[in-house]
Amino acid sequence: MTSILWFKRDLRVDDHPALDRVISFDEPILCLYIVEPDLWRQPDASFRQYRFLEESLRDLRLSLQKRGADLVVRTGDAVAVLDDLVEQHRCLRLVSHEETGNAWTYARDKRVAAWARGRGLPWIEVPQCGVVRRLAARSGWQSTRDRFMKEPCLSAPMRIEAVTAQSAPCPTPADLGLDADGIRKPQPGGRRAGRDCLMSFLEYRGQPYRRAMSSPLEGARACSRLSPHLALGTLSVREAVQATRRQQERGRHGGWSGSLKSFQARLAWRDHFMQKLEDQPDIEHRCLHPAYEGLRPTEPDQARLEAWQAGETGMPFVDACMRSLRATGWLNFRMRAMVMSVASYHLWLDWRSSGHHLARMFTDYEPGIHWSQVQMQSGTTGMNTIRIYNPVKQGLDQDRAGAFTRQWLPELSAVPDQFLQEPWKWDGAGQLLGRRYPEPIVDVKAAARAARDAVWAVRRSDGFRPVAQRIVQKHASRKSPSRRGRSGKSAAKRSAQMSFDF
Ligand SMILES: Cc1cc2nc3c(=O)[nH]c(=O)nc-3n(C[C@H](O)[C@H](O)[C@H](O)COP(=O)(O)OP(=O)(O)OC[C@H]3O[C@@H](n4cnc5c(N)ncnc54)[C@H](O)[C@@H]3O)c2cc1C
């Protein structure tokens, strides 16, 4: 008799609650990964994500082999693969982590659940982070998450009693129809790379984190860069939380304390945003506040979309970010928020088309964070303050010396520093714009003003507020009362921040 451990986005053996559970049954385990071609045909899937996955699977296989097991890789539809294995190996149960994925994996999991029920096979899904399935209400969620994070990390088993089964090599990206997508400096995948990333961040890279996280140049090193590892589970978020806590307890000075605190907050935001998608899977496809549906044309202006994707909008800082993203698969939070905001406000593109492009470009694509953030930066949630980033100001603030912009836009080398973010104001613009670099495709100020007016018109419309209040009730973060400030005023202020900023 056998149990199947179905690896999904939990590609490790350390701190692995589903592995721990399956071992407790004291039966041989079949360790399985299914490459699902249909998943890789979705509009949010990309070559760079698959490359990272392949590296992570290689590492997982080695970890399993060290413990006397192996990874069985199969390609195909999950139900068909599972059915075949259950038949062949007389499996008693299926165990996996609880996945909060995209709409496609959600539908697939429903099919798997129906199939398992039909066969009378128990499917045990085990949480691996602070996201709570079938959450009744947001109040108290934070303490549940904190309790999970305080529980000791689970050690990797010394040995795994395993069942072997025929395994196939992973399909190539081309087999899955994934074309090379311009990635030139990919982040390495796999558990070992994830551990190195965490350790180097906590030992030395993270010291300037709080100050430097929004700088496009410094942030690439000062941010943890853990996101793709957390997305594929080569590291557990609890391992990151606890390793950070140990560093906090060392009481280090020189900026460390603020940086580690900010980092812990972001690890908590991760679960908070993923919880939104868990609670409302349709936020990947529908405006959280329905009044925004149809505000922007559903068919996006193709020329604008393509210019934005290619880094050819004529707004230098936006273009530098988009080109850098294409080459590296990563941007810091501020730059992600700005490029999304420009797409949704200045270029007036529907968030679904621009959001899919960004999803493909992010090696760390995490649907729960992504779609919540995409909607937040597009002003369609009904619960967040409208924030329209000014790309010229962002360039001046975050790339003061212009080194990042110049690195990605060599065609601007002749532009003097003071005009770098607004080359249209430079005397020599006639020789440059419309020739080697585009004129801005919109008037930055006028486009922002028009967008703000249109969004506020929706906000002021009849019936907007009661729906917005229900959304806040369902999704806004609420700390437990004991952790709020005692003064009514500061408590109200903080709770407003928690509700509206996140
Ligand atoms: C439009 C948009 C789309 C985004 N899409 C994704 C995505 O697909 N995948 C993804 O992991 N992050 C996404 N983010 C959040 C954030 O930008 C990235 O997590 C971060 O830049 C990753 O780099 P890092 O690991 O070095 O982050 P760090 O700053 O070192 O943070 C550590 C971890 O905390 C979490 N985190 C950080 N910032 C946030 C945040 N604002 N909200 C929720 N969790 C956060 C991530 O898991 C991150 O790996 C998005 C943000 C925006 C504005």
Side-chain angles (χ1 to χ4, degrees):
M1 295 298 179
T2 305
S3 298
I4 294 180
L5 174 59
W6 179 16
F7 284 95
K8 297 160 110 190
R9 296 202 296 139
D10 51 348
L11 306 182
R12 62 182 186 279
V13 293
D14 298 76
D15 194 32
H16 195 300
L19 174 59
D20 194 58
R21 178 71 70 86
V22 78
I23 282 179
S24 72
F25 295 114
D26 212 10
E27 288 155 3
I29 301 166
L30 195 157
C31 298
L32 173 70
Y33 186 85
I34 310 174
V35 179
E36 298 161 280
D38 278 354
L39 172 64
W40 293 100
R41 277 194 271 274
Q42 299 307 306
D44 50 4
S46 63
F47 175 92
R48 57 191 63 197
Q49 295 159 4
Y50 188 67
R51 196 205 52 79
F52 192 91
L53 169 76
E54 279 181 301
E55 289 181 7
S56 302
L57 289 175
R58 272 201 288 278
D59 236 21
L60 174 63
R61 165 165 284 144
L62 289 176
S63 302
L64 289 168
Q65 286 173 342
K66 269 195 218 151
R67 291 163 175 85
D70 204 350
L71 184 67
V72 175
V73 175
R74 291 280 173 98
T75 300
D77 170 64
V79 169
V81 169
L82 289 167
D83 198 55
D84 183 45
L85 289 171
V86 167
E87 201 65 47
Q88 270 183 32
H89 295 274
R90 299 185 31 240
C91 298
L92 280 182
R93 64 184 66 79
L94 172 65
V95 181
S96 73
H97 77 92
E98 269 178 4
E99 181 175 5
T100 306
N102 63 6
W104 188 89
T105 61
Y106 181 53
R108 174 257 273 144
D109 281 353
K110 282 185 170 169
R111 279 196 303 116
V112 170
W115 160 82
R117 263 195 313 277
R119 279 202 76 116
L121 184 89
W123 178 15
I124 303 168
E125 292 177 274
V126 189
Q128 66 159 347
C129 66
V131 175
V132 179
R133 191 154 282 185
R134 292 180 205 91
L135 184 70
R138 259 303 175 123
S139 41
W141 174 83
Q142 181 80 44
S143 350
T144 311
R145 188 249 175 207
D146 291 348
R147 261 199 310 282
F148 179 90
M149 291 305 158
K150 279 188 187 135
E151 279 172 26
C153 285
L154 301 160
S155 311
M158 301 289 279
R159 259 202 91 66
I160 298 174
E161 200 200 327
V163 173
T164 48
Q166 204 186 353
S167 180
C170 282
T172 64
D175 293 338
L176 296 169
L178 297 168
D179 295 329
D181 56 9
I183 187 103
R184 282 192 273 129
K185 294 181 180 168
Q187 222 182 304
R191 167 85 184 166
R192 185 187 297 214
R195 290 285 309 164
D196 289 351
C197 216
L198 178 63
M199 287 309 141
S200 64
F201 176 73
L202 292 178
E203 288 298 332
Y204 52 93
R205 285 191 299 115
Q207 186 169 11
Y209 175 71
R210 185 149 85 168
R211 174 187 57 75
M213 65 170 85
S214 298
S215 151
L217 278 180
E218 274 189 279
R221 185 180 151 82
C223 289
S224 73
R225 309 301 303 272
L226 285 179
S227 48
H229 295 286
L230 297 175
L232 276 194
T234 55
L235 269 182
S236 78
V237 66
R238 183 161 61 185
E239 288 178 290
V241 166
Q242 295 192 4
T244 308
R245 194 165 297 144
R246 285 194 292 277
Q247 293 296 324
Q248 288 177 296
E249 283 162 6
R250 280 173 61 189
R252 292 151 91 196
H253 301 292
W256 273 109
S257 145
S259 286
L260 294 176
K261 195 169 167 216
S262 299
F263 179 62
Q264 283 286 21
R266 276 152 188 83
L267 292 174
W269 292 0
R270 175 178 194 276
D271 289 344
H272 166 67
F273 279 102
M274 288 176 66
Q275 185 70 49
K276 293 183 196 232
L277 187 70
E278 178 67 35
D279 293 344
Q280 191 168 339
D282 70 2
I283 61 175
E284 181 181 338
H285 296 301
R286 301 163 79 94
C287 293
L288 190 55
H289 196 306
Y292 289 110
E293 216 51 81
L295 175 65
R296 298 171 173 100
T298 336
E299 272 305 311
D301 180 320
Q302 209 51 35
R304 284 187 178 188
L305 180 62
E306 282 170 18
W308 175 77
Q309 291 175 342
E312 296 280 346
T313 65
M315 294 177 255
F317 197 48
V318 175
D319 292 342
C321 287
M322 294 303 284
R323 293 186 197 183
S324 161
L325 172 60
R326 188 177 178 77
T328 66
W330 184 85
L331 275 181
N332 68 36
F333 171 77
R334 178 69 69 96
M335 305 301 96
R336 292 185 198 211
M338 180 198 66
V339 297
M340 192 64 222
S341 163
V342 166
S344 293
Y345 293 115
H346 300 80
L347 305 182
W348 207 236
L349 298 169
D350 187 272
W351 56 269
R352 285 154 276 224
S353 50
S354 42
H356 275 131
H357 175 74
L358 287 185
R360 287 191 294 275
M361 289 292 105
F362 294 155
T363 308
D364 61 27
Y365 172 50
E366 178 64 75
I369 306 178
H370 188 71
W371 294 109
S372 313
Q373 281 290 350
V374 160
Q375 288 220 39
M376 199 163 137
Q377 306 305 337
S378 308
T380 53
T381 66
M383 62 189 277
N384 305 108
T385 38
I386 304 291
R387 177 155 198 200
I388 303 181
Y389 285 85
N390 177 336
V392 174
K393 181 176 183 307
Q394 287 301 314
L396 294 171
D397 288 353
Q398 307 301 341
D399 187 27
R400 272 185 212 152
F404 175 79
T405 307
R406 290 189 190 284
Q407 177 186 345
W408 296 101
L409 303 181
E411 60 269 50
L412 300 191
S413 59
V415 180
D417 284 354
Q418 69 266 37
F419 298 113
L420 185 63
Q421 300 302 342
E422 299 174 281
W424 52 89
K425 291 189 175 168
W426 174 45
D427 283 350
Q431 294 306 309
L432 172 75
L433 300 185
R435 297 178 180 208
R436 279 171 297 130
Y437 185 66
E439 302 261 7
I441 59 174
V442 291
D443 178 315
V444 175
K445 279 194 182 147
R449 208 176 309 118
R452 187 182 300 276
D453 290 349
V455 172
W456 272 101
V458 174
R459 266 182 110 94
R460 282 191 289 263
S461 62
D462 286 347
F464 183 90
R465 277 190 77 81
V467 178
Q469 275 157 3
R470 282 201 292 279
I471 296 168
V472 168
Q473 192 57 32
K474 182 172 169 120
H475 289 292
S477 160
R478 279 178 287 277
K479 295 221 166 195
S480 57
S482 59
R483 298 185 57 192
R484 281 208 201 120
R486 282 184 191 278
S487 108
K489 210 171 166 190
S490 73
K493 193 170 159 202
R494 205 161 324 152
S495 104
Q497 278 172 0
M498 293 308 288
S499 303
F500 293 104
D501 287 341
F502 308 113

